[in-house]
Amino acid sequence: MNDFLAALTALLPSTGVGLIFFLAMRAVLNADRSERRAFAEEEKRYRKNSPD
């Protein structure tokens, strides 16, 4: 049991950093997706109102 806790303690920092990295990358990708969607809507609105 003591070996199990030692192994768990050794893996905990790496798991925590991995989780933080995952959450940060997910936030970045969601922000990028939202920005691209907003840009596409604005471009569509611009092209619709364009005199061409």
Side-chain angles (χ1 to χ4, degrees):
M1 184 68 176
N2 201 12
D3 292 337
F4 176 74
L5 290 177
L8 186 64
T9 304
L11 293 175
L12 194 60
S14 298
T15 305
V17 169
L19 181 63
I20 291 171
F21 178 75
F22 172 77
L23 293 174
M25 289 305 297
R26 188 173 70 167
V28 167
L29 292 174
N30 284 338
D32 182 58
R33 186 180 308 122
S34 298
E35 184 178 357
R36 287 176 188 263
R37 186 181 305 124
F39 183 76
E41 289 173 5
E42 188 64 31
E43 188 174 11
K44 185 170 39 171
R45 191 174 316 137
Y46 174 77
R47 290 184 188 276
K48 181 180 176 184
N49 295 329
S50 180
D52 293 342

